[in-house]
Amino acid sequence: MMKNYISFLLLFLSVVFFGQTYKTIDTTDYKQRKDFIKSYSLNNELLVKSLKARYSGKTGGELSKIYNELGKDFEKQVKNKDFIFNSVFDAKVKDIIGRLRKNNPQIPENLKILIAKDNTPNAYCFADGTFVINMGLFNWLNNDSQLAAVISHELGHKITEHTLKTFLGLINQNQLDKMVVQDIKATKENRNQRAFSVLKNRVYKKGTENRKQEMQADSLGYTVFKNSDFKRTEFINTLKRLEDFDTISPKELKVETYKKFFNLPKQEFNDKWLKKEDFSLYNYNHFKSKLNKDSLKSHPEITLRINHLKMLFPELKTEVADEKASESYAVLEKTARMETLPNFYHAEDYGIGIYVSLQFLQDGEEEEYYKAWLGKCFSKIYEARKNYNLNRYLDRVDPKNQSKSYQQFLNFMWNLSLDEIKNIADYYQKES
């Protein structure tokens, strides 16, 4: 007990002095990755064999292809170091699953935990029991109970085999569509319109089925959640928190921030860098989508999901403020926050990395740390600009889908010359 307490205290102190001592999470875990891939590959083979035995004919063959392709893609992600092993987050997730399983024997025993180097608050579970938790969940959610709510929702998908049912539906729909397409080919009238109707109906149907599954996972997930020792109202608070992630406007990056961090000793700030491209003459209303975007959404609106849960479970109608994070969760939350830039860098999102670094610097957070990441990301932007592939790492301005602050940032980045980018990269790399 004392040993665990000392370990936690040392970890907590390392967080307090992040500015001086924080180092990104070590991913030199070749042996763990190799062992995991070997185990995952074997389990996937067994899964495919069981599906072939369970579903005969074309259905079994198609399922085999799907799961083999998914397995190969996932193994590539593991080899690419998209996940971390034996991390500080593992113990927390295992503890939460243990607390959920205590009064829920239907939760599988063979779950394997992987933490993804992904800043989006999401989680998902593979058919073999591999449970992936994005690091962004720790950064965005507020406490253990909210993390347990997300895990419970994903367990709902797992227990009801939603993924398998989705694949079976796609295989069946493929067979039906083939017959319709053959009929369309046999006639000459309205071919394009009829073909588009097939596509539209398929897309809408898929969206409807996915929304239905999300509602089911919410209901079953809450049933699992309420049987444990977590605070029930946090299930609703979690959904609200995730809604904030989908709808919240990015923090504005002030002009003063650009001038503060890009007015360098050997390169003065140039106001021309902030010049914006004029899109006012283009009327975006000329384009009208043939597909109803609301029908394409696979996840129903959070408000609908919350109201559905309150209707099924009246105890959720009483709203309570978020509970305070435990000390252990606060440590992980801080770690996930500090890993935001390493995760963007790993994903080659160098433009976003610069934008987010500037936001942290604007707030006065860990200045030396984020200046170092400015240097690293600008160095990659310089290489991309020099090799004429900057579009791969930096968005183009899109007024219809981007905040004004992000548009200003993109204009700034595209206005910089090759030499100016190099000077910024060199300066911040020397500073770090």
Side-chain angles (χ1 to χ4, degrees), residues 340-378:
T340 300
L341 264 297
N343 291 344
F344 280 134
Y345 191 83
H346 172 76
E348 298 185 342
D349 289 329
Y350 306 125
I352 295 289
I354 292 170
Y355 185 64
V356 173
S357 291
L358 288 171
Q359 289 189 333
F360 280 128
L361 289 167
Q362 181 173 268
D363 291 342
E365 288 194 43
E366 311 290 351
E367 190 163 298
E368 296 307 313
Y369 181 75
Y370 291 111
K371 280 183 177 179
W373 282 107
L374 268 186
K376 291 179 181 180
C377 290
F378 262 103

Side-chain angles (χ1 to χ4, degrees), residues 260-319:
K260 177 179 178 181
F261 293 102
F262 298 117
N263 186 32
L264 311 181
K266 295 182 180 180
Q267 181 173 282
E268 292 185 2
F269 187 85
N270 190 338
D271 287 327
K272 291 182 179 179
W273 293 341
L274 295 175
K275 183 180 178 181
K276 296 180 181 179
E277 189 173 348
D278 184 12
F279 289 89
S280 61
L281 297 178
Y282 185 81
N283 184 0
Y284 286 91
N285 293 323
H286 287 162
F287 172 77
K288 290 185 179 179
S289 174
K290 291 185 177 181
L291 293 174
N292 183 341
K293 290 183 179 180
D294 287 337
S295 297
L296 301 181
K297 292 179 180 177
S298 61
H299 283 57
E301 296 291 343
I302 297 291
T303 303
L304 294 178
R305 291 170 63 181
I306 291 174
N307 290 339
H308 180 69
L309 283 169
K310 288 182 176 179
M311 180 182 69
L312 294 177
F313 306 100
E315 70 268 22
L316 294 177
K317 292 180 180 179
T318 303
E319 297 187 6

Side-chain angles (χ1 to χ4, degrees), residues 104 106 152-153 155-162 214-227 235 309 312-313:
N104 293 286
Q106 72 273 34
S152 298
H153 173 91
L155 285 171
H157 283 303
K158 167 70 176 170
I159 294 168
T160 52
E161 294 188 313
H162 277 160
E214 290 303 314
M215 293 284 199
Q216 289 175 343
D218 279 342
S219 301
L220 182 56
Y222 176 68
T223 301
V224 169
F225 185 82
K226 75 173 185 175
N227 287 340
F235 201 91
L309 283 169
L312 294 177
F313 306 100

Side-chain angles (χ1 to χ4, degrees), residues 7 43 71 73 130 187 194 213 222 292 296 300 302 324 345:
S7 298
N43 288 336
D73 183 62
T130 300
T187 59
R194 291 174 68 192
Q213 287 184 356
Y222 176 68
N292 183 341
L296 301 181
I302 297 291
K324 185 179 178 181
Y345 191 83

Side-chain angles (χ1 to χ4, degrees), residues 35-62:
D35 291 343
F36 175 85
I37 290 173
K38 184 178 179 180
S39 173
Y40 176 81
S41 179
L42 178 61
N43 288 336
N44 204 49
E45 285 180 18
L46 295 174
L47 173 65
V48 168
K49 286 182 180 179
S50 68
L51 288 172
K52 281 185 175 180
R54 186 173 169 186
Y55 300 96
S56 59
K58 288 185 178 180
T59 300
E62 289 297 319

Side-chain angles (χ1 to χ4, degrees), residues 4-19:
N4 291 337
Y5 175 76
I6 293 173
S7 298
F8 171 75
L9 182 60
L10 288 173
L11 179 60
F12 181 73
L13 289 174
S14 71
V15 173
V16 173
F17 297 105
F18 259 142

Side-chain angles (χ1 to χ4, degrees), residues 108-365:
E109 291 284 348
N110 63 336
L111 297 178
K112 296 176 287 294
I113 311 302
L114 274 187
I115 307 298
K117 298 171 68 175
D118 191 321
N119 293 322
T120 56
N122 197 15
Y124 51 96
C125 190
F126 285 92
D128 76 317
T130 300
F131 213 114
V132 177
I133 308 289
N134 283 1
M135 208 179 291
L137 274 174
F138 293 90
N139 188 17
W140 191 253
L141 300 181
N142 292 327
N143 51 56
D144 294 49
S145 295
Q146 291 184 5
L147 183 59
V150 172
I151 293 173
S152 298
H153 173 91
E154 295 305 321
L155 285 171
H157 283 303
K158 167 70 176 170
I159 294 168
T160 52
E161 294 188 313
H162 277 160
T163 302
L164 175 60
K165 290 175 182 176
T166 297
F167 291 152
L168 288 171
L170 289 173
I171 292 169
N172 182 56
Q173 191 63 46
N174 279 341
Q175 294 171 350
L176 293 174
D177 287 348
K178 282 181 181 178
M179 291 188 288
V180 175
V181 169
Q182 288 174 355
D183 181 58
I184 292 173
K185 287 180 178 179
T187 59
K188 295 183 178 179
E189 295 180 359
N190 299 324
R191 279 186 175 182
N192 291 339
Q193 185 177 351
R194 291 174 68 192
F196 182 75
S197 294
V198 173
L199 171 65
K200 183 172 68 173
N201 290 336
R202 179 164 186 165
V203 171
Y204 287 171
K205 184 177 180 180
K206 182 182 178 183
T208 300
E209 286 299 319
N210 286 347
R211 289 195 295 274
K212 182 179 178 182
Q213 287 184 356
E214 290 303 314
M215 293 284 199
Q216 289 175 343
D218 279 342
S219 301
L220 182 56
Y222 176 68
T223 301
V224 169
F225 185 82
K226 75 173 185 175
N227 287 340
S228 63
D229 59 351
F230 296 102
K231 191 175 180 180
R232 294 183 178 184
T233 51
E234 286 300 306
F235 201 91
I236 296 294
N237 290 345
T238 305
L239 288 173
K240 290 180 179 179
R241 188 67 182 143
L242 294 175
E243 183 179 36
D244 287 342
F245 183 83
D246 290 335
T247 59
I248 197 168
S249 298
K251 190 183 301 179
E252 181 185 358
L253 205 56
K254 300 175 182 177
V255 171
E256 292 77 12
T257 302
Y258 291 96
K259 294 183 176 181
K260 177 179 178 181
F261 293 102
F262 298 117
N263 186 32
L264 311 181
K266 295 182 180 180
Q267 181 173 282
E268 292 185 2
F269 187 85
N270 190 338
D271 287 327
K272 291 182 179 179
W273 293 341
L274 295 175
K275 183 180 178 181
K276 296 180 181 179
E277 189 173 348
D278 184 12
F279 289 89
S280 61
L281 297 178
Y282 185 81
N283 184 0
Y284 286 91
N285 293 323
H286 287 162
F287 172 77
K288 290 185 179 179
S289 174
K290 291 185 177 181
L291 293 174
N292 183 341
K293 290 183 179 180
D294 287 337
S295 297
L296 301 181
K297 292 179 180 177
S298 61
H299 283 57
E301 296 291 343
I302 297 291
T303 303
L304 294 178
R305 291 170 63 181
I306 291 174
N307 290 339
H308 180 69
L309 283 169
K310 288 182 176 179
M311 180 182 69
L312 294 177
F313 306 100
E315 70 268 22
L316 294 177
K317 292 180 180 179
T318 303
E319 297 187 6
V320 181
D322 292 7
E323 65 181 3
K324 185 179 178 181
S326 63
E327 289 184 343
S328 60
Y329 189 89
V331 170
L332 297 178
E333 185 178 17
K334 178 66 174 178
T335 302
R337 188 172 178 81
M338 296 297 284
E339 289 292 319
T340 300
L341 264 297
N343 291 344
F344 280 134
Y345 191 83
H346 172 76
E348 298 185 342
D349 289 329
Y350 306 125
I352 295 289
I354 292 170
Y355 185 64
V356 173
S357 291
L358 288 171
Q359 289 189 333
F360 280 128
L361 289 167
Q362 181 173 268
D363 291 342
E365 288 194 43

